[in-house]
Amino acid sequence: MTPGSNLPLPAPRVSVDVSAPSRVDVSGLLLGADGKVRSDADFVFYNQPDAPGVRHTGGGGADTITVDTAAVPADVERIVVTASLDAPGATFAGAEPTGTVRDADSGAVIASFTPPRLGAETALIVMEVYRRGGAWKVRAVGQGYADGLAGIATDFGVSIEEPEP
């Protein structure tokens, strides 16, 4: 896939695996029509691995966000899959992640996407699974953020607690 391209999903359950040369943390955000999470419970990651219709699993070389489109609440229009770097000060320059969409039941590859030309980004939106006209699709995004996962999360309405100094 290329940035901005989309494909219909041929399976009701899909997994988006994200792998990179460096360790990345993968998360999913369930978004409503307003482009925001309904609550912080719609932020799926290693410490909060489940939301209705969405599950995070990790380990090995890739973290995965699995979407069961039949179980996603009707007021959720899209699930954004993100990647952020684990190492402090690291950027995605030369370490671009690849998102691979698979049929979650058969493992068959539906599509893959590697965002091109990343630089100072420390987090990015890799792909999104979204509902359009009653059908589910996947879109390659590749939008980077220089302010890490916190920048992505706050853009989509997640409350981030800052650690005490």
Side-chain angles (χ1 to χ4, degrees):
M1 296 181 80
T2 59
S5 64
N6 62 60
L7 295 168
L9 290 179
R13 285 182 11 94
V14 295
S15 60
V16 181
D17 304 329
V18 180
S19 59
S22 307
R23 174 77 182 115
V24 293
D25 290 325
V26 175
S27 58
L29 295 131
L30 288 74
L31 307 177
D34 63 355
K36 304 285 185 192
V37 295
R38 299 168 302 166
S39 74
D40 289 353
D42 285 344
F43 181 34
V44 177
F45 62 109
Y46 60 92
N47 277 342
Q48 184 170 287
D50 293 296
V54 179
R55 178 157 179 75
H56 172 277
T57 53
D63 279 3
T64 302
I65 297 294
T66 301
V67 178
D68 180 348
T69 59
V72 172
D75 59 342
V76 171
E77 290 192 357
R78 61 187 168 131
I79 296 94
V80 173
V81 179
T82 69
S84 57
L85 290 162
D86 208 21
T91 68
F92 276 114
E96 289 80 6
T98 297
T100 303
V101 181
R102 299 177 189 278
D103 178 317
D105 296 321
S106 73
V109 173
I110 296 168
S112 67
F113 171 63
T114 303
R117 300 175 303 282
L118 296 176
E121 295 88 350
T122 58
L124 72 131
I125 299 170
V126 180
M127 304 177 110
E128 64 183 14
V129 175
Y130 67 101
R131 190 185 327 239
R132 179 71 39 91
W136 285 91
K137 296 183 174 190
V138 63
R139 177 180 298 129
V141 180
Q143 177 184 347
Y145 285 72
D147 52 355
L149 182 57
I152 292 174
T154 55
D155 272 3
F156 292 116
V158 175
S159 300
I160 302 293
E161 292 183 22
E162 295 297 326
E164 295 291 322

